[in-house]
Amino acid sequence: MLQRTRAAVALTVGVGALALAPSAMAATTVSSVAATAADPVVSSVKIDPEPIVVTGSPVGAEFTFTTSGAGKVDFKIKAPGGDWTPLEVKPAPHGLESKWTATRTFDTKDREGRWSYIAVAHGEDGKEDTESGRFTVDVRRHRSLDTRITGFDARPEPVRKGAEFGVHGRLLVEGRHGWQGYGGRTVDILFRADGSSRWEKVGSDRTDRFGRFSESGTAERSGTWRAVFGGGRGVDRAFSGTDHVRVVTPPRREDSRIVGFNASPEPVRHGRYLTFTGGLQVEHSGWKGYRAEVGLYFKPTGSSRWQHVKNVSTDRSGHLRTKAKAYRSGHWKFVFDGNDDFRPVSSGSDYVRVIRH
């Protein structure tokens, strides 16, 4: 709450003043206007930070205000139940006004509660203007900052055994402006296997400037995951919620094979079509033709890298047949990438020479 007071100057005009000449009256009017314009004014008192929160280390606060028509200023503060204490103020230009700044450091020895302030601007002839108000000092003695872990998640779930797996979350700390990311802190990742009562530390990560952390690895056992921040001086520990993840063992995959692969004709003229044939078979109570998608690959002479050319679908009996134009001599082959039921496999390669006539 702000309060403003201004000293008033009363002018008494005698009866004889009515007999003043017009020029004298004009001079008196101009003089009065000039005196009014020179009245001191104090305004725009600000405290930074507000409230002033002391959690352990001293906190510096800055008090600023502006004045006009003032030759001298005073600024005082008062603790609850205490006496007024003047602060040193320093001026700086501020347009047509002057800006004044005072500083004061608050620590755990200060009283908490609603403090008072008063800013006074002194002008000529004893004129002055004042602005007063209150601000809060919150002293948290022997109190650690609260922390929390939010958004903790372990995924995917369920996950196949041996597959890539990860956890992530965010560490927050209670600051002056509410909960905010707590960067540069180590968060441990804990795991408790199904059937066990013991938590194991399996990894850790350092939070980024937003408080985010993550950790990844290979899924091996079903169990429960959680994240823990160990705290520190003046900062509490934090535990995430738990997340249970089931690890499933994929069914045993059977063998597969590509038989009878052939590229023809050989040799082939540059830019002409080659025909590729073969068959995809899988082991399922004996070798049987299998319907699936198979890739055709080519490796030019002198190269060590196989290039994907196209995909081909087998028929119901597993037969493969497709065409592609030949531009360079090299090796060709079919590749089956496998699936949940059958293992991947590659055919033998077939070399074809390209001739130019």
Side-chain angles (χ1 to χ4, degrees):
M1 180 178 69
L2 302 180
Q3 295 178 340
R4 175 182 294 280
T5 61
R6 179 168 294 155
V9 179
L11 297 179
T12 303
V13 181
V15 176
L18 298 176
L20 290 175
S23 59
M25 293 179 63
T28 301
T29 303
V30 172
S31 176
S32 298
V33 172
T36 302
D39 285 353
V41 176
V42 60
S43 60
S44 303
V45 179
K46 296 180 180 179
I47 300 100
D48 184 29
E50 164 59 19
I52 300 168
V53 181
V54 182
T55 58
S57 301
V59 176
E62 185 177 81
F63 305 85
T64 60
F65 59 96
T66 59
T67 63
S68 61
K72 178 185 175 182
V73 299
D74 292 314
F75 189 83
K76 300 177 183 180
I77 61 174
K78 183 175 71 171
D83 298 323
W84 286 104
T85 302
L87 300 184
E88 180 184 359
V89 289
K90 298 180 179 180
H94 190 67
L96 298 177
E97 302 175 320
S98 293
K99 182 176 181 179
W100 303 83
T101 302
T103 58
R104 208 267 200 182
T105 299
F106 293 81
D107 57 31
T108 54
K109 297 178 182 178
D110 286 307
R111 297 181 186 179
E112 62 180 359
R114 296 286 285 169
W115 287 52
S116 301
Y117 70 81
I118 184 169
V120 184
H122 301 276
E124 298 178 357
D125 301 326
K127 298 175 183 179
E128 64 181 33
D129 186 32
T130 67
E131 187 169 310
S132 60
R134 306 180 76 185
F135 61 96
T136 300
V137 176
D138 183 3
V139 180
R140 303 181 182 182
R141 297 178 178 88
H142 311 295
R143 179 181 180 274
S144 297
L145 292 175
D146 290 333
T147 59
R148 63 171 61 161
I149 294 175
T150 62
F152 181 74
D153 187 31
R155 61 186 182 187
E157 200 288 312
V159 60
R160 286 182 177 272
K161 184 176 182 179
E164 188 76 8
F165 173 80
V167 299
H168 69 274
R170 190 178 181 209
L171 176 65
L172 304 178
V173 63
E174 185 183 19
R176 296 177 184 173
H177 305 292
W179 291 98
Q180 57 194 37
Y182 202 12
R185 304 294 165 170
T186 299
V187 175
D188 294 328
I189 308 302
L190 306 184
F191 173 73
R192 185 181 65 196
D194 285 354
S196 174
S197 60
R198 187 170 67 89
W199 288 96
E200 305 174 46
K201 177 183 173 181
V202 295
S204 62
D205 188 33
R206 195 167 182 84
T207 59
D208 64 13
R209 65 190 183 95
F210 300 106
R212 297 175 300 200
F213 63 88
S214 63
E215 180 72 330
S216 61
T218 302
E220 297 295 338
R221 297 176 292 171
S222 297
T224 303
W225 296 81
R226 81 183 313 175
V228 176
F229 168 59
R233 185 175 180 179
V235 182
D236 287 338
R237 302 177 71 191
F239 297 84
S240 73
T242 59
D243 193 4
H244 183 270
V245 175
R246 182 167 58 94
V247 176
V248 296
T249 301
R252 180 180 177 274
R253 294 192 293 177
E254 302 292 343
D255 290 334
S256 63
R257 67 184 183 183
I258 296 175
V259 297
F261 176 67
N262 184 56
S264 63
E266 198 285 315
V268 64
R269 290 187 177 183
H270 180 270
R272 297 290 180 88
Y273 278 101
L274 281 171
T275 299
F276 306 92
T277 57
L280 174 63
Q281 298 178 344
V282 295
E283 173 61 42
H284 189 63
S285 300
W287 291 102
K288 298 179 180 180
Y290 186 62
R291 190 169 190 171
E293 192 171 77
V294 176
L296 176 65
Y297 286 80
F298 172 66
K299 183 174 69 174
T301 300
S303 173
S304 60
R305 187 173 67 88
W306 286 95
Q307 304 170 5
H308 178 262
V309 178
K310 63 190 297 188
N311 287 331
V312 186
S313 294
T314 66
D315 62 16
R316 293 181 179 179
S317 300
H319 294 148
L320 286 161
R321 183 181 180 86
T322 191
K323 292 184 176 183
K325 288 185 177 181
Y327 296 100
R328 299 175 62 184
S329 299
H331 291 83
W332 297 82
K333 69 176 181 179
F334 279 138
V335 175
F336 171 55
D337 289 333
N339 52 31
D340 292 344
D341 299 314
F342 300 101
R343 295 189 180 96
V345 70
S346 173
S347 72
S349 63
D350 191 7
Y351 178 78
V352 175
R353 182 168 60 94
V354 175
I355 58 177
R356 296 173 182 266
H357 289 299

